[in-house]
Amino acid sequence: MKKYNILLFLFSAVVLFSACSEDNLDIEQKGVIDIEAFYETDEDAKSALTDAYADFATNIGGNDGIIVPYNIIFNYCADNILAAGEYYGDNDHIASINEFRFDTQSSVVSTMYKRFYFVIYHSNLVIDNFEYGESDVKDRCISEARIMRAWCHMMAAMAWGAPPLIDHVLVGTDKPLNYEGGHEALLQWCADECADAVQYLDERESTSDKDGAVKVTKGFAWTVQGKALMYKGDYEGAKTALKKVISSEKYALVPGEEWADLFHLSGDGSEEKIFETNLINNASLGDWGGKIQRSTWMELNLWGWRTSRLASKPLCQSDQGWGGLAIEEDFANEFAANDGDSYRRKATMVSYDEFITELEWNSDDENPTVEDKLTDENRGIINPDGLYGQSMYLQKKHIASDEDRTTNWYRFNNFIIERYADVLLLYAEACARTNDNDGLQYLQMVQERAGSDYISSELTLEDVKKERNYELWCEGARWIDMKRWGELEKVKTAGTNIPSLKDAINDGEAKHRGYLTYSNPNEGKIVGFKEGKHEYFPYPYSVTSINPNIVQNPGWE
């Protein structure tokens, strides 16, 4: 009876509340602006655009648990990266992407798909609610949002082929279709958007303009236009757009000795950055509710060297590491043979011998000799099982340093969306494809800045392809390049013959010596790239289950 009485009381309370006068309930909410009154002034336009930038930073460059989905989707399918870790099955949602074991319910794929459309939604809020011609401020805000929207559609097209084009704010009943024009037409739409919106954008003031590297400018618009046309196969059109970036003289390559800084806090806003998400230490955001989600937070651990299997820790690594990012063996050997001891090579990866003898370790005595280091049991791999998934070269490019954590306890350097070296190499490629020797100087510029042992004497497509592979390792370029070049043979064996890097000192030898063993933990499973299926990711089940208008990509169920 007590339960019945309580329910009766609650029911009576609801009836009494419902019977109250509407006047008593019609209380004006304090501290908010009605949506109908918000999208009016220049300040409103700037505020809405600021929200779009914040959403871009969170969803594109931001953390999701231990990963940044953008980094996984556009890097781990490539043939120059291995998903490593403590053992097989460690961080398997990442390894499944690398080994082509993912399906329509992959959390990484689903999260990235949704994140692109979150950014598109926030961009559309700006675009839909303001009109051109009302003020210069509104014209610029609308155009910056259009470029962010175009970039998201371009990258979604490279991941899913012909995903929906969302050029306005949807209502809850909308169920958009795949873009009816297809993949190439969607890329053309992205290029056209940039060509139309660029007239209203600011230009970066100079190579020293750091603010111009963290906002959408004419340079970024031309870059997106050029990339979309390049991906579409319109090389003449791509050349025209990309050359505008070069001719603007607002960008430059950093010196070779500063190449490594590009990926650390000291490289934020440098002359080479065309667009990157700006991470500001704003206390009002709160760590867990704002700043962490916008940073690459736990990637400082995920991509760090596996410290639990090392005798101590190299000083250049800020914190413990989980060893989840590895350089593929054949690529590493090719890169080392091409570049030698270049700035770029040694900032991207170090051999195990260099790992032992050239890095400072936190166990070092004062001024140890090379011989001391080679016999020092307080450095190198201590676990006899070695480092799973690692080759004879260890990646160094994305090792977080103390510098990257100077304002927070987690990694907080800016997230690179586009840098100048990529533009120069894309332009060189477009020139190579159109028999235009103008691209040679820019190919050589990238090689010379790198300090590479090899400098091209003529412009060839093969040299450009190799240079893009070396320069842009783990920057979201290789997987797209492989697909558009049709160079997918190597990933057909992904997930087989997984290396482990071991140290002979654990076998009783007197000195450190790295060597590899191999295993096949996926034996009996279907792994590796499959033609007619893996060219594009599947539309997530979470999307197709509620939107029957989405046609699934070939090969997926």
Side-chain angles (χ1 to χ4, degrees):
M1 291 298 294
K2 290 182 179 180
K3 181 178 180 182
Y4 174 83
N5 288 337
I6 290 172
L7 290 174
L8 181 62
F9 171 77
L10 289 174
F11 176 75
S12 301
V14 170
V15 172
L16 282 171
F17 185 77
S18 300
C20 289
S21 167
E22 288 187 8
D23 292 338
N24 292 335
L25 297 177
D26 189 16
I27 301 171
E28 182 180 355
Q29 190 174 358
K30 306 297 183 182
V32 298
I33 300 173
D34 187 89
I35 191 168
E36 299 299 325
F38 173 69
Y39 294 106
E40 293 182 356
T41 68
D42 285 355
E43 289 303 312
D44 293 341
K46 289 191 286 187
S47 178
L49 182 66
T50 298
D51 181 66
Y53 272 106
D55 197 68
F56 190 102
T58 299
N59 284 299
I60 304 302
N63 180 80
D64 178 51
I66 67 170
I67 64 167
V68 175
Y70 181 86
N71 280 338
I72 308 305
I73 286 291
F74 291 105
N75 284 312
Y76 274 79
C77 285
D79 61 3
N80 57 13
I81 283 176
L82 289 179
E86 186 173 12
Y87 44 74
Y88 177 78
D90 189 21
N91 301 319
D92 200 55
H93 56 306
I94 299 171
S96 67
I97 301 291
N98 181 241
E99 297 170 358
F100 296 90
R101 293 187 281 108
F102 58 92
D103 57 25
T104 61
Q105 299 194 55
S106 164
S107 62
V108 182
V109 175
S110 176
T111 300
M112 190 68 258
Y113 185 88
K114 293 173 184 176
R115 284 187 168 202
F116 277 133
Y117 286 102
F118 288 153
V119 178
I120 290 168
Y121 167 74
H122 281 263
S123 299
N124 280 333
L125 285 175
V126 180
I127 298 163
D128 282 10
N129 287 290
F130 298 98
E131 294 184 9
Y132 280 118
E134 294 184 349
S135 72
D136 290 344
V137 170
K138 290 179 182 176
D139 289 350
R140 176 181 58 78
C141 290
I142 294 168
S143 295
E144 288 184 35
R146 287 176 70 188
I147 303 304
M148 284 191 278
R149 183 180 69 178
W151 180 87
C152 285
H153 278 105
M154 177 183 72
M155 297 307 294
M158 298 314 293
W160 285 277
L165 168 60
I166 308 299
D167 60 358
H168 61 280
V169 175
L170 300 180
V171 298
T173 56
D174 287 334
K175 289 181 169 36
L177 293 78
N178 307 70
Y179 186 56
E180 60 182 2
H183 177 68
E184 291 187 3
L186 181 54
L187 291 173
Q188 184 65 56
W189 180 89
C190 296
D192 292 344
E193 274 287 284
C194 294
D196 186 62
V198 70
Q199 60 187 303
Y200 303 105
L201 297 174
D202 292 339
E203 193 165 17
R204 191 182 192 183
E205 294 179 4
S206 67
T207 55
S208 60
D209 174 18
K210 290 184 179 293
D211 289 340
V214 296
K215 63 183 260 186
V216 172
T217 59
K218 291 182 184 294
F220 183 56
W222 288 325
T223 299
V224 177
Q225 180 188 3
K227 293 189 89 162
L229 293 173
M230 196 76 189
Y231 294 162
K232 178 177 177 286
D234 180 359
Y235 303 120
E236 288 290 355
K239 272 200 314 184
T240 300
L242 296 169
K243 192 59 182 283
K244 290 179 181 178
V245 184
I246 298 170
S247 299
S248 73
E249 299 184 348
K250 307 299 183 183
Y251 307 94
L253 299 176
V254 302
E257 59 270 21
E258 296 177 18
W259 193 92
D261 295 340
L262 287 168
F263 313 100
H264 297 283
L265 199 67
S266 55
D268 285 357
S270 75
E271 59 265 42
E272 192 161 337
K273 304 298 181 61
I274 294 176
F275 183 51
E276 59 185 8
T277 62
N278 192 26
L279 300 182
I280 299 173
N281 191 21
N282 184 342
S284 66
L285 293 174
D287 282 349
W288 293 99
K291 289 185 289 185
I292 280 180
Q293 278 74 10
R294 295 186 189 185
S295 77
T296 55
W297 183 33
M298 293 184 76
E299 274 190 359
L300 75 90
N301 299 116
L302 178 65
W303 283 2
W305 297 313
R306 186 81 203 184
T307 46
S308 65
R309 296 200 167 194
L310 302 179
S312 59
K313 183 174 73 67
L315 292 182
C316 61
Q317 179 166 304
S318 175
D319 203 350
Q320 65 173 338
W322 301 334
L325 177 62
I327 292 203
E328 194 274 334
E329 182 180 358
D330 293 337
F331 165 74
N333 292 332
E334 178 191 316
F335 186 11
N338 182 87
D339 262 40
D341 288 338
S342 71
Y343 296 116
R344 178 176 65 189
R345 197 279 291 171
K346 298 193 82 167
T348 302
M349 64 181 192
V350 291
S351 69
Y352 189 63
D353 183 65
E354 292 165 341
F355 187 67
I356 296 294
T357 62
E358 296 186 10
L359 301 185
E360 293 183 84
W361 289 66
N362 59 10
S363 59
D364 280 354
D365 295 327
E366 188 174 352
N367 299 320
T369 65
V370 170
E371 187 65 20
D372 290 336
K373 296 173 182 178
L374 286 172
T375 57
D376 181 6
E377 295 183 354
N378 292 316
R379 64 177 63 219
I381 300 168
I382 194 173
N383 191 306
D385 292 331
L387 301 179
Y388 175 79
Q390 299 288 345
S391 73
M392 291 294 293
Y393 284 86
L394 296 164
Q395 77 89 13
K396 190 170 182 286
K397 185 175 187 176
H398 294 299
I399 296 295
S401 65
D402 288 340
E403 169 200 0
D404 302 327
R405 305 174 69 192
T406 52
T407 59
N408 294 284
W409 54 271
Y410 45 89
R411 189 174 187 175
F412 215 64
N413 51 299
N414 285 351
F415 188 86
I416 302 171
I417 301 298
E418 193 58 58
R419 65 183 178 97
Y420 191 48
D422 188 15
V423 168
L424 296 180
L425 292 172
L426 283 172
Y427 179 75
E429 181 187 341
C431 287
R433 292 183 180 276
T434 56
N435 298 314
D436 182 350
N437 203 50
D438 187 45
L440 177 60
Q441 60 181 312
Y442 302 113
L443 171 61
Q444 292 173 332
M445 191 182 297
V446 174
Q447 293 170 327
E448 289 168 356
R449 186 278 296 272
S452 175
D453 282 354
Y454 178 77
I455 307 296
S456 299
S457 58
E458 58 181 329
L459 181 62
T460 67
L461 185 57
E462 190 62 27
D463 276 5
V464 175
K465 287 180 176 181
K466 288 181 178 179
E467 197 62 27
R468 286 187 60 77
N469 204 6
Y470 307 146
E471 177 71 22
L472 301 171
W473 182 82
C474 200
E475 292 186 55
R478 178 62 179 169
W479 173 233
I480 293 175
D481 285 349
M482 288 166 58
K483 291 196 294 181
R484 64 192 184 90
W485 297 336
E487 298 181 356
L488 298 160
E489 195 65 29
K490 192 173 174 182
V491 286
K492 291 179 180 179
T493 59
T496 63
N497 293 322
I498 309 299
S500 289
L501 174 60
K502 299 182 178 182
D503 192 326
I505 204 168
N506 296 309
D507 302 329
E509 293 189 16
K511 297 181 180 180
H512 291 286
R513 178 180 63 82
Y515 68 94
L516 298 179
T517 61
Y518 298 87
S519 62
N520 283 288
N522 286 311
E523 189 170 0
K525 297 181 180 180
I526 298 175
V527 296
F529 175 89
K530 301 295 182 293
E531 290 184 8
K533 178 178 182 178
H534 288 122
E535 287 83 356
Y536 294 115
F537 291 104
Y539 292 101
Y541 175 77
S542 60
V543 173
T544 58
S545 63
I546 61 173
N547 183 3
N549 292 335
I550 294 288
V551 178
Q552 184 58 274
N553 279 325
W556 301 98
E557 296 179 0

